[in-house]
Amino acid sequence: MKKVRIGFTLVCLLLVVSLLSGLSLAANPRIYIPVISKGFQHQFWQAVKLGAEKAAKEFDVDITFEGPESEAMVDKQIDMLQTALSKNPKAICLAALDSKAVIPLLMQAKASNIPVIGFDSGVDSDIPVATAATDNVAAAALAADKMAQLIGGKGEVAVIVHDQTSRTGIDRRDGFVNRIKSKYRNIKIVDIQYGAGDHLKSTDLAKAIMQAHPNLKGFFGANEGSAIGVLNAVTELKKTGKIVVVGYDSGKPQIDAVHSGKMAGAITQNPIGIGYEAVKAAVMAIKGQKVKKVIDTGFFWYDRTNIDSAQIKPLLYD
């Protein structure tokens, strides 16, 4: 009889422990943070994903990383954001394709006390508690300075930008154009086109510009897809060595082009740092800790002289 009572007591204890454990899990669910990028098609976004995953592991949170197939698919990104918000996450990280179109959903997030962290590209709103990104205006201005030096301070140049709706597209275009206009009076920007970050579309646009402006001396591609498109166009029209190509981002085709001399140089960001800082800021915001409104993740110019240096090599993504 005594053995029966002891067994009964042990069963009860196990049930109590199991119940308490279940209540504990229910009271402390794992933190979930959806990370919505602009896309997946470039190595840049894969590097951002690596950084986000590194932070998720370090801070012991769950993340998802997704983005539309094309950086022109604003509607699809908005659908992704809507779906993410419907899951009531603890915070959300967003690289907005359209700096204005997402604002109604960000207002919804704010009303639900869901902190929003911008990364790579900000929005025209103060709702994001932080944005982890490159100073794209300053970086594009540096690209303009390099272009001016490389073409001898005079001549015609053109620009291919990924879009005119995202903060990165606007800032890189304006950073480059405004620096040229304000500092280099003998350089004329003859055309600016938008290739949606698609290298095929950017190639066609760049070829059309070169055919319309046979004296073109320089070309700036404002992101990975734009720069590769310009490189393709220069190669196809046999203008290698005649037109100075300056790019943005890295990726294997650009790295190879810099090594071979087809591309004079480019601006590289710190994509792993962008992903890492975005998720880190989200965790801090969830915990109620103070977060910097702007997290500058840095940028660098690279060319044949420093592409293999210890400073630059870790920042290139191929």
Side-chain angles (χ1 to χ4, degrees):
M1 187 62 186
K2 187 177 180 181
K3 288 183 178 178
V4 172
R5 283 201 299 271
I6 291 173
F8 178 76
T9 302
L10 285 173
V11 169
C12 289
L13 283 172
L14 286 172
L15 285 172
V16 169
V17 168
S18 175
L19 179 61
L20 289 175
S21 175
L23 287 173
S24 177
L25 286 172
N28 298 290
R30 285 182 60 78
I31 291 173
Y32 164 59
I33 304 168
V35 181
I36 301 175
S37 77
K38 290 181 177 177
F40 265 103
Q41 68 273 48
H42 301 315
Q43 291 302 314
F44 176 83
W45 295 116
Q46 296 301 318
V48 173
K49 181 171 182 280
L50 283 176
E53 290 173 342
K54 179 183 176 186
K57 184 176 181 181
E58 182 175 324
F59 296 105
D60 194 27
V61 299
D62 294 330
I63 68 167
T64 51
F65 193 100
E66 59 181 334
E69 292 85 354
S70 161
E71 293 184 20
M73 301 174 75
V74 175
D75 290 344
K76 184 162 186 180
Q77 190 190 50
I78 289 175
D79 288 343
M80 289 177 169
L81 180 57
Q82 178 74 71
T83 301
L85 289 172
S86 70
K87 296 176 182 176
N88 197 32
K90 295 293 184 183
I92 190 163
C93 298
L94 172 69
L97 279 170
D98 190 311
S99 60
K100 292 183 172 63
V102 296
I103 291 176
L105 288 176
L106 299 191
M107 293 174 69
Q108 182 181 323
K110 184 179 181 180
S112 301
N113 294 317
I114 299 171
V116 176
I117 309 297
F119 67 96
D120 179 66
S121 194
V123 297
D124 296 337
S125 165
D126 62 358
I127 291 176
V129 297
T131 299
T134 305
D135 183 342
N136 285 292
V137 173
L142 175 60
D145 288 336
K146 295 293 183 181
M147 175 68 82
Q149 293 169 13
L150 290 162
I151 66 172
K154 60 182 179 181
E156 297 180 343
V157 300
V159 181
I160 297 286
V161 187
H162 38 297
D163 63 65
Q164 50 188 328
T165 57
S166 73
R167 200 64 255 168
T168 59
I170 296 166
D171 288 350
R172 292 177 197 174
R173 177 197 64 199
D174 292 352
F176 185 89
V177 170
N178 291 341
R179 177 60 64 91
I180 292 291
K181 287 183 175 178
S182 66
K183 193 173 178 181
Y184 305 103
R185 294 183 177 179
N186 294 322
I187 298 177
K188 182 180 180 182
I189 297 175
V190 295
D191 205 348
I192 303 171
Q193 293 292 329
Y194 303 90
D198 180 86
H199 69 277
L200 296 176
K201 184 177 180 181
S202 299
T203 300
D204 291 340
L205 290 169
K207 286 166 68 176
I209 291 173
M210 283 189 281
Q211 287 164 343
H213 301 279
N215 296 320
L216 198 70
K217 292 183 69 176
F219 228 130
F220 174 51
N223 82 333
E224 184 177 344
S226 306
I228 293 169
V230 170
L231 276 173
N232 290 343
V234 167
T235 302
E236 290 178 23
L237 295 186
K238 302 187 187 307
K239 293 282 189 177
T240 301
K242 298 176 182 175
I243 293 179
V244 172
V245 179
V246 168
Y248 209 107
D249 295 320
S250 61
K252 191 173 187 311
Q254 287 195 80
I255 292 170
D256 290 345
V258 170
H259 274 129
S260 69
K262 289 183 177 178
M263 176 176 280
I267 298 293
T268 187
Q269 306 180 75
N270 179 7
I272 292 178
I274 290 173
Y276 177 87
E277 293 294 340
V279 172
K280 178 183 176 183
V283 173
M284 292 174 68
I286 292 167
K287 293 180 178 178
Q289 297 172 349
K290 189 175 181 181
V291 184
K292 285 184 179 178
K293 190 73 174 175
V294 177
I295 303 170
D296 186 349
T297 50
F299 63 87
F300 298 88
W301 168 261
Y302 69 97
D303 55 23
R304 291 180 77 175
T305 67
N306 68 351
I307 190 170
D308 294 318
S309 69
Q311 181 188 38
I312 297 298
K313 204 166 185 177
L315 301 176
L316 304 180
Y317 29 96
D318 59 1

